[in-house]
């Protein structure tokens, strides 16, 4: 009985490892689909949430102005500022992760779980890293793009990750091993071995 949060650098295999763990343990697997739950909680579309995560409130405000009425904005987001308030957004994410923790037996990939569930009982926080060359090869193979496109995608995703995690903690802690219970360098560890190490951590 546990909650596992998997944080990762894009291209380090976090999604695949999370799915493997969930299947082996019989746990619920949660990743980007949480966007839908967050959007439902604060009353805007998932596209708006993605824009907020990636570019911040100013970008989201412009997006809202293009696709929905001012009346909608006034009813569903911050009345004073005209965009999804940062506190409102982070509280929605926190509420969802807290609920998942109550349900137990879940693998959460991303969504700042390492910070939101820090100190919670039964939570194991995992972090996957890898060198850029291996990440490029992984992304190129997985997404069927050239290595140059894969590198651009990785750098974009890294920036998005920093922006998103900065809603919850100082950027200096994002890759600090002390923010996690186990850090795995996938340059030297296969997905199979990474899974075994985590299962050992859970005393299985």
């Amino acid at each position: 009985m546990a909650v596992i949060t998997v944080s990762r650098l894009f291209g380090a295999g976090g999604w695949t490892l999370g799915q493997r763990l969930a299947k082996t343990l019989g746990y619920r697997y949660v990743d980007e689909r949480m966007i839908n739950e967050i959007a439902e909680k604060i009353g805007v579309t998932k596209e708006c949430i993605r824009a907020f995560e990636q570019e911040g409130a100013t970008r989201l405000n412009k997006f809202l102005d293009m696709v929905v009425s001012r009346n909608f904005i006034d009813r569903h987001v911050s009345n004073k500022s005209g965009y999804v308030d940062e506190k409102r957004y982070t509280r929605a994410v926190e509420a969802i992760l807290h609920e998942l923790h109550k349900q137990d037996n879940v693998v959460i990939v991303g969504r700042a779980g390492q910070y939101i569930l820090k100190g919670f009982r039964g939570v194991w926080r995992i972090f996957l890293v890898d060198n850029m060359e291996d990440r490029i090869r992984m992304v190129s193979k997985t997404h069927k793009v050239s290595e140059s496109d894969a590198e651009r995608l990785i750098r974009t995703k890294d920036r998005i990750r920093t922006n998103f995690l900065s809603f919850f903690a100082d950027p200096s802690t994002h890759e600090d091993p002390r923010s996690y219970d186990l850090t795995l360098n996938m340059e030297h560890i296969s997905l199979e071995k990474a899974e075994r190490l985590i299962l050992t951590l859970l005393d299985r």
Side-chain angles (χ1 to χ4, degrees), residues 115-127:
Y115 298 123
I116 295 172
L117 298 181
K118 179 181 179 181
F120 279 58
R121 184 177 180 180
V123 175
W124 294 97
R125 301 172 301 156
I126 313 301
F127 183 39

Side-chain angles (χ1 to χ4, degrees), residues 127-171:
F127 183 39
L128 273 60
V129 300
D130 204 344
N131 64 63
M132 179 60 81
E133 291 75 17
D134 286 345
R135 293 169 67 195
I136 289 172
R137 282 192 289 270
M138 169 76 82
V139 171
S140 177
K141 180 180 178 180
T142 302
H143 295 274
K144 296 180 172 56
V145 297
S146 68
E147 290 196 350
S148 59
D149 285 342
E151 182 176 2
R152 282 193 290 272
L153 181 58
I154 287 170
R155 295 193 185 282
T156 297
K157 290 290 188 179
D158 285 349
R159 176 178 56 79
I160 291 171
R161 177 177 183 269
T162 297
N163 289 345
F164 178 73
L165 291 181
S166 295
F167 291 140
F168 301 92
D170 188 274

Side-chain angles (χ1 to χ4, degrees), residues 40-51:
E40 183 178 350
K41 273 187 173 289
I42 62 175
V44 296
T45 67
K46 60 181 180 292
E47 287 78 13
C48 292
I49 298 303
R50 287 199 180 99

Side-chain angles (χ1 to χ4, degrees), residues 5 21 38 46 52 68 91 98 103 122 173-174 191 204:
T5 71
L21 285 167
I38 297 168
K46 60 181 180 292
F52 186 65
V68 298
R91 285 171 184 166
H98 291 170
Q103 295 174 11
T173 69
H174 296 174
L191 285 170
R204 289 185 62 89

